[in-house]
Each structure stands twice: as structure tokens, then as C-alpha cells.
Amino acid sequence: ELSTKTTFVEYSKDKKVRKKIDYKNNFVKIDVIAKNKKEAQKEMVKSFYSLSREDTNDAFTKNPVLSSVNKKMENNPKLKSFIKNNPPSKEPLIADMIFKTPPTTKELVNYSIKKIKNKPIKVEKSKLPEMKVYSIKISLPPKGYLKKAKIFKPDVLKRGSQFKLPPEFIFAIIQTESSFNPMARSYIPAFGLMQIVPQTAGADAYKMLTGKKRILTPSYLYNSHNNILIGSAYLNKIYYRYFRGIKDPTSRLYCTITAYNTGIGNVACAFNSISKKNGVTICSRKRGDYNIKKAVQKINKLSSDEVYTHLLQNLKYDEPKNYLKRVRKRYLSYKKVLEKNEI
């Protein structure tokens, strides 16, 4: 099992222990191959304890694939002058969701023992002789995402101010992209909190900031300060450059949200295309369906509510439709949370 946008998965060196954090559904799952329940419980306590101590930098270092990719990029003479590299940052994986202040070793040990002892253990057959698979699922404290958000708040406020973006907008994008999983990774691959693709959005935003064309390494994007900087810069580019002609700020926001997920061309197509097949919008370059200026003219004739509805009805794919719904809902939610100073 591999890590995803919203889950973090880590194996022991002998592959007999699997630790999984599900940030979206707010739980930790530990699977252990062992001879008996007592042995499994002991390993589970150790595993939960180690997760509670682990940070992003630790997790990156332990990941053989990510570390290898990073080293190959660093050591490639052809790439050396074209990459931007930094070490990952050191935010905790789950400790901040559990404890108000950094815990002592004793607190971590006691908490781990208590959590494992009070939970039922599921037992399944193993392919290894005389061994079984023991599994335990531990719920994390409710609204753990708000505790995660608190850690990243200084960066979000800083970049919101720098790039003239509401902080609730950046928070809504982060939660929708990764559920605040600091080790988020998609199949594309995209990395980190705001799911930056190094060769496209990452390179564009970095060039916008520095004037230099660079490929961003995974470790650079697993540094939360860098990730929020690059993600916010790219949102700024979409909102203030590509969609600068859209007069209504809310309409422009809806188009920016959608473009961050599916691309500027697909947003333009949703307004320009005149044909559908089996209810799915068909885009044609020959007809100029991807032309942004043409789409902007149509958008400016609609109210923001009409733009929102039009996107939901005419976007080519279901994923950006659902993405727009989730971000819009979370945008309004974070606006209330920030006003009440709950993070």
C-alpha cells in the first residue's frame, strides 16, 4: 500500500509492520505480522509511539523511493544547475493533533500503551507459517485538521497577504488537496500540502517568483514553507493573470478554484464549448474552445451564482465539479473559523 494525497503509509524494514495515517477520515491503522496477540500488541505500542514522535523530515528520510528520487536529481550533472532543493520541514505527523504542547517521552509512552490496550484487535490469517496479521484502528481527536491548520497558519497568513489572497481560500485548497497530510503524494506525481506538480505549476510559480526556471525536488516541496509559497504564488497567477479580465471577484474565485484542479483550458472550454456527447462537454481546439479571452467575455455576462452553476453543469469531468463544491464549502467554513480565531 502506497501513500496518497490524504494518507501516509510507512513499513518497517522487515515489512512485518505497516503504519497508516488517514488524515481525511481521522484515524491511525497499524497492521502487524506476529506469532501471537501479546507480541503484536507490543509491536503496536512501539509503532504508535514512533508515529507520535515522527515528523516530515523523518518520514521523508525513511522513504526509500522519495530519498532515491531526490538523490538522483541532486547527483545528475545535467539537472544539477536546474533543480531547486531544500530539506523537508519538521512538522509532526500526528503529535500536534493529540497534544496541546510537545509531549515528553513518558507522556508518549503512556498514551501509546493506553490507546493500544483499549482497542479491539482484528486477527486474520497470514501467508507466513505460524504467523497471523493483527490489525488495530485508533481514532484521532475530532477536528484534527483544525489543529493541523494552526501549525500552518503563520505561512498561510503571510502568503495570503503577499499574494492578495484570502487566507480562508488557501486553507480550503490545502484541506481539499491533502487534508493537511504533510507527506501527501499523488500518482501524477504531485507533492505536499498543496499538491504541487514540480514540472508544471511548481516550475511556473518558481519562475514567477525568481525569474529562473527550476525543477523543484520532492524534498523542496515537502518543506511546508516552500509548498505554501509555491501553491499560493500559483493561485495568484491564475487569479490575477489568467483570469484578470473577470470583473466579479467571486466569479473569478470560482474559476481559479476550478483551474487549480483541472487547468485553465478546461475552465475556458466549459464556457466556450457548444457540443456535448452523452451529457459530457466536448472541447475542440479548432473551434477555439480553450480560448480564455472568449470565455471571460461570456463569464462577465453572468452573475457569480450563474458562473458557479454553469461550471457544475458544463465542466468536462466530474472531479473538478466535486472539487469546486468542496473548496467553496470549506472556504466559507474557514472564513467563520478565522473570524472566531479558532485556529
Side-chain angles (χ1 to χ4, degrees):
E1 187 175 357
L2 301 175
S3 296
T4 68
K5 291 170 67 171
T6 60
T7 64
F8 168 72
V9 181
E10 186 174 79
Y11 285 83
S12 60
K13 287 184 179 180
D14 63 6
K15 302 295 185 290
K16 288 185 178 180
V17 179
R18 178 172 59 200
K19 297 173 279 187
K20 177 179 179 179
I21 306 169
D22 189 320
Y23 290 92
K24 184 178 179 181
N25 297 302
N26 213 40
F27 68 82
V28 170
K29 187 171 183 281
I30 301 172
D31 302 298
V32 178
I33 297 174
K35 290 180 180 179
N36 53 60
K37 185 178 176 181
K38 187 177 179 181
E39 182 184 299
Q41 272 187 321
K42 186 177 178 181
E43 197 57 58
M44 286 170 176
V45 170
K46 284 169 61 179
S47 297
F48 192 80
Y49 169 79
S50 69
L51 267 184
S52 301
R53 286 178 60 88
E54 198 165 338
D55 61 31
T56 311
N57 188 63
D58 297 329
F60 184 86
T61 305
K62 289 180 184 179
N63 189 302
V65 176
L66 291 173
S67 299
S68 175
V69 169
N70 229 76
K71 284 179 183 177
K72 282 180 180 178
M73 291 178 76
E74 288 173 30
N75 297 328
N76 187 327
K78 293 181 180 179
L79 282 180
K80 210 164 188 177
S81 60
F82 292 101
I83 65 168
K84 182 63 181 173
N85 191 35
N86 278 144
S89 46
K90 295 185 176 183
E91 290 85 18
L93 295 184
I94 59 171
D96 54 324
M97 300 165 76
I98 299 168
F99 302 96
K100 289 183 179 179
T101 56
T104 63
T105 300
K106 187 177 180 180
E107 285 175 328
L108 277 179
V109 170
N110 290 338
Y111 188 86
S112 301
I113 293 170
K114 182 182 175 183
K115 277 293 177 184
I116 302 303
K117 281 191 173 181
N118 291 342
K119 292 289 179 183
I121 294 177
K122 185 180 177 182
V123 186
E124 295 179 352
K125 289 181 180 180
S126 168
K127 292 180 180 180
L128 299 176
E130 299 180 5
M131 305 286 265
K132 292 181 179 178
V133 179
Y134 296 85
S135 303
I136 194 167
K137 192 174 176 182
I138 304 158
S139 296
L140 292 166
K143 292 191 176 180
Y145 68 93
L146 288 180
K147 294 177 182 178
K148 278 281 176 202
K150 191 172 184 179
I151 284 187
F152 304 115
K153 186 178 179 181
D155 275 316
V156 169
L157 294 179
K158 181 179 180 180
R159 301 312 174 191
S161 175
Q162 179 182 354
F163 296 113
K164 300 177 183 177
L165 300 169
E168 54 267 30
F169 179 32
I170 301 172
F171 272 130
I173 292 288
I174 292 174
Q175 189 179 349
T176 307
E177 286 290 344
S178 66
S179 293
F180 292 95
N181 173 11
M183 289 298 295
R185 185 182 186 277
S186 73
Y187 66 91
I188 294 173
F191 301 102
L193 295 168
M194 297 185 76
Q195 284 294 277
I196 309 297
V197 180
Q199 297 91 336
T200 54
D204 284 353
Y206 191 84
K207 188 175 182 182
M208 170 188 157
L209 291 168
T210 66
K212 297 175 183 177
K213 191 173 182 179
R214 294 289 183 270
I215 298 173
L216 309 179
T217 63
S219 67
Y220 180 92
L221 292 172
Y222 282 125
N223 182 300
S224 63
H225 311 296
N226 295 339
N227 198 284
I228 294 171
L229 167 65
I230 295 296
S232 300
Y234 192 62
L235 285 172
N236 171 280
K237 187 174 182 178
I238 297 171
Y239 187 91
Y240 289 101
R241 189 177 299 181
Y242 291 120
F243 292 136
R244 64 183 178 274
I246 300 175
K247 295 174 184 178
D248 186 283
T250 305
S251 295
R252 203 192 304 185
L253 184 73
Y254 292 151
C255 292
T256 301
I257 291 168
T258 311
Y260 192 84
N261 176 263
T262 194
I264 291 115
N266 285 332
V267 174
C269 175
F271 291 94
N272 292 333
S273 179
I274 55 172
S275 62
K276 287 189 178 185
K277 186 176 181 180
N278 298 324
V280 178
T281 300
I282 304 298
C283 302
S284 169
R285 293 193 183 279
K286 289 182 180 178
R287 289 197 306 259
D289 289 346
Y290 292 101
N291 187 291
I292 299 170
K293 288 183 180 179
K294 184 177 168 186
V296 166
Q297 290 174 358
K298 295 180 180 181
I299 291 165
N300 283 334
K301 293 176 182 178
L302 305 172
S303 69
S304 60
D305 285 342
E306 288 171 331
V307 168
Y308 179 75
T309 302
H310 187 94
L311 285 166
L312 294 184
Q313 291 175 345
N314 294 280
L315 281 164
K316 191 174 180 180
Y317 306 107
D318 288 335
E319 184 187 341
K321 294 176 187 178
N322 294 328
Y323 185 87
L324 175 58
K325 288 179 188 176
R326 292 197 301 271
V327 174
R328 180 176 180 260
K329 183 179 179 181
R330 286 165 179 165
Y331 173 89
L332 298 171
S333 175
Y334 276 108
K335 192 170 186 178
K336 292 177 183 177
V337 166
L338 287 166
E339 284 171 357
K340 294 177 182 177
N341 202 29
E342 291 179 353
I343 54 173

